[in-house]
Amino acid sequence: MLDLDFVRAHPNRVREAMRAKGEERPEQVDALLEVDEERRTLITELQEAQARSNRVSKQIGALMREGKQEEAQERIEETSALKEKISTLDDQVREKETLTRRMLLQLPNIPHRSVPVGATEDDNEVEEEVGEKPTFDFEAQPHWELIEALGLVDFERGAKVTGAGFPIYVGKGARLQRALIQFFLDRAYENGYTEVQPPLFINEDSARGTGQLPDKEDLMYEIPREGFFPIPTAEVPVTNMHRDEILLNEDLPRKYCAYTPCFRREAGSYGAHVRGLNRMHQFDKVELVQFVPPDESYRALEAMCAEAEGLLQALGLPYRRLLMCTGDMGFTQAKKYDLEVWSAGQERWLEVSSVSNFEAFQARRMQIRYRPEPDAKPQLVHTLNGSGLALPRVLAALIEQYQTEAGTIALPEVLHPYTRFETIG
């Protein structure tokens, strides 16, 4: 959420940010400022009425002592009228405050000055491409053919048990999935992250705190009877851990990692782009989350991106780093990188990580603050998160990258201690 004082002082910048992010409703800024002006006018009237009521109340006692009963009665009647006015104004102020906050929640974050302005994924900047794309002296197969032949994932039974997009990992497929998760968590631990195991359901306040509400409600599953949402990413419960807390400066940065399944109602389509493990409604991911002082957040963003890249380098998977443009980076982010791994069987890039700096946008919603000094006024932290990494597409790329002419998979050496086998098939 943006700071209301910032919106008042820089309305044109907020309008520009909305246009840059594809939020074609710049008139919302004018509507917000109008409501804010009405709210402030009502607050002034309320304060004046309260001050008048206090003065009149003091006069009543003095008049009574002086025996001026008639004048005292007039003041008593005025006080009664003022109390009704104060009650009405108080309700109106609360109503305007609620509306102001609701309108603020609908304004997107301001992109960092280094973010390219653009409308679609074609406007993203490829900053670096790392690793050599593999070449085969045989016809490479896409991962869905390999996993079917090797019995690694059962899509049909997953669809029978739940529905499309809910796979069942089987045998070495399940062990490989678990091995990757543990490998990612171990690397996060080595990089100074504290592992947490958060709840898989969140309440509405948590979804609103990280920006899933009111922006991404259509992408989340919902449990109406309890008012819960299955998590779309571990970012949500982990970031909300410190909602409404004041942290100590010496406690920062706070670095957490978490493995969770994730649940998303992503719109389905047909074709190779969504076949196999390319797009799931339930998928596993290791998430990295940081809480840092404001002047450290962009250094932390680069470091977090490097940590996610290090996982792809260790696995020997070619990848590229994209700086996302304003129109493709999301409602809540100030700056965002995507890491895309090369899919050798499909011959295209697959997103496996997004690493984002939200600055104070999420922290303001959740009131996560810290004290720079013991007696200093609390300030908002900056929050960051990144996938380290998302499993389905990493698994797909890994299987395609290390396939052999015989149809087997020769796993990279770094995974051998985790899988306890070197080949599949």
Side-chain angles (χ1 to χ4, degrees), residues 75-304:
R75 298 293 191 275
I76 290 171
E77 291 174 2
E78 183 181 357
T79 300
S80 178
L82 283 167
K83 285 181 179 178
E84 290 185 13
K85 182 178 182 179
I86 289 169
S87 178
T88 299
L89 286 169
D90 190 56
D91 289 342
Q92 291 175 340
V93 168
R94 291 177 184 275
E95 182 182 331
K96 293 298 182 182
E97 287 175 344
T98 299
L99 181 56
T100 299
R101 179 173 174 81
R102 187 183 307 134
M103 297 175 80
L104 275 171
L105 288 172
Q106 295 173 351
L107 299 182
N109 202 357
I110 306 295
H112 188 262
R113 60 183 177 274
S114 64
V115 173
V117 176
T120 70
E121 61 183 17
D122 295 331
D123 299 311
N124 297 331
E125 293 182 1
V126 179
E127 287 201 335
E128 188 176 13
E129 189 172 315
V130 179
E132 295 291 329
K133 297 176 183 177
T135 57
F136 302 96
D137 53 9
F138 58 91
E139 185 176 350
Q141 300 180 65
H143 70 273
W144 55 82
E145 293 182 3
L146 291 162
I147 59 181
E148 181 179 5
L150 296 169
L152 303 180
V153 183
D154 194 327
F155 292 105
E156 290 186 7
R157 288 191 173 93
K160 177 175 68 175
V161 170
T162 306
F166 294 87
I168 295 175
Y169 295 85
V170 180
K172 287 188 173 182
R175 289 187 64 86
L176 178 55
Q177 180 89 339
R178 184 156 47 86
L180 285 165
I181 292 167
Q182 191 59 58
F183 170 61
F184 296 161
L185 288 172
D186 285 353
R187 283 298 178 95
Y189 175 78
E190 292 168 7
N191 288 324
Y193 289 83
T194 299
E195 183 177 351
V196 296
Q197 191 176 49
L200 301 184
F201 295 167
I202 51 169
N203 57 33
E204 189 172 313
D205 286 340
S206 293
R208 187 178 296 108
T210 47
Q212 272 62 39
L213 296 178
D215 181 50
K216 300 183 179 69
E217 54 265 56
D218 290 341
L219 297 181
M220 290 193 295
Y221 288 97
E222 187 174 0
I223 305 172
R225 182 173 178 178
E226 306 296 340
F228 292 158
F229 301 89
I231 62 169
T233 166
E235 164 203 346
V236 185
V238 175
T239 310
N240 274 276
M241 284 170 52
H242 293 301
R243 189 172 75 226
D244 296 320
E245 292 184 16
I246 299 177
L247 306 174
L248 299 176
N249 186 52
E250 53 264 34
D251 291 337
L252 298 180
R254 288 283 184 100
K255 300 171 66 175
Y256 296 109
C257 66
Y259 153 67
T260 65
C262 305
F263 306 90
R264 296 187 188 176
R265 298 178 61 250
E266 295 186 276
S269 58
Y270 299 94
H273 280 29
V274 297
R275 288 191 66 179
L277 298 170
N278 285 344
R279 183 174 296 173
M280 297 284 99
H281 292 302
Q282 176 181 325
F283 61 94
D284 291 326
K285 180 157 67 81
V286 172
E287 188 77 359
L288 309 175
V289 174
Q290 290 197 31
F291 303 83
V292 304
D295 59 354
E296 294 290 328
S297 66
Y298 280 97
R299 282 190 289 272
L301 176 67
E302 299 300 323
M304 186 180 287

Side-chain angles (χ1 to χ4, degrees), residues 381-394:
V381 300
H382 280 192
T383 61
L384 305 94
N385 67 52
S387 313
L389 300 161
L391 269 297
R393 293 172 182 171
V394 169

